[in-house]
Amino acid sequence: MLKRAITFMVLGVAASASAQTVMSAHTLIEAEQQHGSSGTSIEPASTPVPMLMTERDGWRLMLHGNAFAADTQQQANSERGRDAFFSTNWIMPMAQRQLGNNGRGGQLTLRAMFSLEPATVGSRNYPELFQQGETAYGAPIVDGQHPHDFLMELAALYDLRLSHNTLLSLYAAPVGDPAIGPTAYPHRQSASEDPIAALGHHQQDSTHIAFNVVTGGLTYRWARIELSGFHGGEPDEHRWAFQPSPNGHAIDSVSTRLTISPTPDLTGQYSIAHITSPEALYPGEDQQRQTASVMYHHSFGVKPPPSMPSMKMDDMAGMNMSTTMPASSSPMHMAAEPRTDLATTFLWGRARSLSDNNKENSYLAEALLRVASRNYVWTRIENAGRSNELLLSPGSPLPPNFAESPIGHVAAYTLGYDHDLPLGPRVLAAPGAQFTFYRTPQALRSIYGDTLTAEVIFIRFRLR
């Protein structure tokens, strides 16, 4: 056994000397048990997840993080074109442990997620043309994106293999992500180099920070069904405090999601939710939200690693690199980070008011291409339904008896590039820039103008 452990250590050192290693998975069940994203959302199993890892007293400890220091110039008529320097950021510590003999008691995962955006995003929102949703200083946010809460997630997850092909999962979080939509934009690979929120965020994945979330899921081979209960009200604009929304904290909303992953490179989902009073400015208005998405990831020119015997974590005490485990033990795999890979997301989201039946649809296509390890090129194309809140002056309160209604669709076309530079052994810094061109509906052209653009220059920092 000692000889085998030494062999694995030598292989691990050789691999880390030649290429940076990342978490990877081969199946839907393995991807779920790794819990490399928020909530119980899933990207394709082949998607690499860069993390710092170590082992302590039977616990696998991990740390994952991303931060942007960005300057944006928004080109539009009059007050609509704001400029600002800001930072979007988050960090995720996680601990996992196998329970029972040989992991047959299941796997426990404890995870938290924090953001300093309450301090690094001024005026309670950063500029983003045509973005809307939530409030700043009691007024609706117009042409801006709100910061995330300091505490984005605090969750416990339990996974139990009922058989080789069947997994039962439970998730409980005073602050967390219910089973709605795909992986939220801050955490999905196809959006990982873009410092700006998607325009369709509030039709697609704005529930990724919700209160009192409980989710149960059952997976068989390549299909998974989930049911969530949660509090539907969005957090208020006081982002530092751990507190419920203005209408309480009870579990009052429900969602369900079907996920399929027929291959390691492909994942799709459909979800539907009844959300009680999500917006603070419209406290009596409930929503039905639906999303459907397809995510694809593929690494080019990657050879599978040589086969090695399975090994228990107990046989590898003190090692920082895990290998393929038996089904009853850890699902953790490590692989060399791809030199060239492609990640894409195609996403539809709809929010329907249950008070007046008004609907807003949004459509998104994202693609991120990594070339020669350190170069990233991406695009985001959106068509997002907007409401008449955009007719209000930014920072002004809602007029008396104001009724929100759809006003048209905005199209946005983004192209960006950045390049990784090592900043010490565990941090990458990537200077980059992106450019966005907008097409405006007729009803908004007198306010915004005909030709609108936005530029963002930034440095992205990432743990590895």
Side-chain angles (χ1 to χ4, degrees), residues 248-457:
H249 54 78
I251 294 177
D252 55 14
S253 303
V254 64
S255 67
T256 187
R257 177 169 60 196
L258 172 66
T259 301
I260 59 171
S261 186
T263 74
D265 285 354
L266 187 65
T267 294
Q269 67 82 35
Y270 170 77
S271 54
I272 186 169
H274 177 103
I275 307 176
T276 298
S277 189
E279 294 280 353
L281 293 176
Y282 308 97
E285 184 177 36
D286 297 346
Q287 271 189 15
Q288 181 193 76
R289 190 169 300 172
Q290 297 180 72
T291 76
S293 63
V294 175
M295 306 179 80
Y296 175 78
H297 173 268
H298 184 72
S299 297
F300 298 92
V302 175
K303 296 180 180 179
S307 59
M308 291 182 285
S310 295
M311 196 172 173
K312 300 176 186 176
M313 290 303 301
D314 293 342
D315 299 330
M316 302 169 61
M319 290 182 61
N320 290 338
M321 177 172 285
S322 304
T323 57
T324 304
M325 303 296 166
S328 61
S329 186
S330 170
M332 190 64 61
H333 302 273
M334 299 301 294
E337 190 166 17
R339 288 184 53 81
T340 302
D341 66 332
L342 173 68
T344 63
T345 298
F346 300 93
L347 172 58
W348 163 73
R350 168 185 283 183
R352 180 172 72 90
S353 168
L354 298 180
S355 297
D356 54 22
N357 205 39
N358 281 332
K359 305 177 186 68
E360 289 183 1
N361 290 279
S362 63
Y363 308 89
L364 174 146
E366 280 176 347
L368 171 67
L369 177 66
R370 170 168 37 189
V371 181
S373 295
R374 295 186 177 184
N375 300 282
Y376 299 83
V377 180
W378 66 92
T379 186
R380 176 186 282 164
I381 301 172
E382 293 194 81
N383 188 290
R386 303 290 83 176
S387 83
N388 57 347
E389 280 186 357
L390 292 180
L391 298 175
L392 304 174
S393 296
S396 63
L398 284 184
N401 302 316
F402 179 84
E404 188 179 21
S405 60
I407 199 171
H409 280 243
V410 169
Y413 308 89
T414 297
L415 183 66
Y417 171 80
D418 64 15
H419 176 81
D420 269 335
L421 299 171
L423 194 67
R426 297 300 181 189
V427 178
L428 292 172
Q434 71 177 35
F435 174 84
T436 302
F437 170 75
Y438 299 91
R439 291 185 63 88
T440 315
Q442 187 64 44
L444 296 175
R445 288 181 185 172
S446 62
I447 298 174
Y448 287 88
D450 294 328
T451 303
L452 294 91
T453 62
E455 301 82 42
V456 186
I457 300 172

Side-chain angles (χ1 to χ4, degrees), residues 119-156:
T120 61
V121 173
S123 302
R124 299 185 182 176
N125 70 104
Y126 62 79
E128 184 176 10
L129 286 171
F130 300 108
Q131 184 65 288
Q132 57 183 130
E134 301 199 23
T135 65
Y137 306 103
I141 294 176
V142 174
D143 298 320
Q145 171 65 30
H146 60 82
H148 290 106
D149 281 16
F150 169 68
L151 182 58
M152 296 174 66
E153 184 179 42
L154 184 64

